[in-house]
């Protein structure tokens, strides 16, 4: 039987940490679905607008070989609905979220993958904006 994996993220200023989590998530199943968080959601969550719009971020993620389907994550409260809608067998999150999604273990496996060290969108934005 085919296994569907789902993961979520902003994937702004796409970097190798994003690529690695997507590659490792894909290895856990046969089909990878990625929820890309909406601009509005980021504004509320991180208090800044993403550098790239949701349409651009979705286009980048959708073009990656390991990704089968992309959708817009419009609310953090809808994770359970998205897992059910896409019939996901596995939820993958970075370990910065360790333990935070255990409530979904009643409907799917929940796997936390270690983050790639020393890179993040926030750090990249800071590095680029402080470059002279
Ligand atoms: N991720 C990762 N390794 C990194 C950075 C991110 O594995 N070095 C993973 C996160 O754990 C998440 C996904 O990539 O599963 C999307 O993360 P996102 O929040 O979009 O990226 P960050 O670089 O963490 O962004 P920010 O600095 O804005 O929090």
């Amino acid at each position: 039987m085919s296994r569907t994996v789902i993961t979520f993220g902003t994937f702004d200023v796409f970097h190798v940490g994003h690529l690695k989590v997507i590659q490792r998530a894909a290895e856990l199943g046969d089909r990878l679905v990625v929820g890309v968080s909406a601009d509005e959601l980021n504004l509320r969550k991180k208090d800044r607008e993403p550098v790239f719009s949701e349409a651009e971020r979705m286009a980048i993620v959708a073009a990656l070989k390991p990704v089968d389907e992309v959708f817009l994550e419009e609310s953090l409260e809808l994770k359970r609905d998205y897992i059910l809608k896409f019939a996901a067998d596995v939820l993958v999150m970075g370990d910065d979220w360790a333990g935070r999604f255990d409530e979904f273990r009643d409907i799917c496996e929940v796997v936390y993958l270690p983050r790639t060290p020393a890179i993040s969108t926030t750090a990249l934005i800071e590095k680029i904006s402080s470059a002279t």
Side-chain angles (χ1 to χ4, degrees), residues 57-97:
R57 292 181 287 110
M58 284 176 81
I60 290 166
V61 173
L64 300 170
K65 233 185 252 176
V67 175
D68 296 291
E69 194 167 344
V70 161
F71 67 97
L72 191 66
E73 181 189 18
E74 302 201 66
S75 163
L76 294 175
E77 280 76 55
L78 289 175
K79 288 237 167 32
R80 180 172 293 272
D81 301 68
Y82 293 130
I83 293 166
L84 293 171
K85 179 176 172 192
F86 291 99
D89 302 287
V90 189
L91 167 65
V92 170
M93 298 298 294
D95 66 359
D96 40 332
W97 295 97

Side-chain angles (χ1 to χ4, degrees), residues 7-22 24 35 37 42 45-46 48 57 92-97 113-125:
T7 192
F8 296 86
T10 307
F11 302 106
D12 190 25
V13 190
F14 197 89
H15 59 67
V16 75
H18 295 150
L19 181 63
K20 284 188 176 164
V21 79
I22 283 173
R24 286 179 298 163
S37 58
N42 281 279
K45 196 174 62 175
K46 299 193 179 173
R48 66 168 150 79
R57 292 181 287 110
V92 170
M93 298 298 294
D95 66 359
D96 40 332
W97 295 97
L113 293 177
R115 282 172 68 91
T116 300
I119 189 161
S120 74
T121 297
T122 306
L124 281 171
I125 291 172

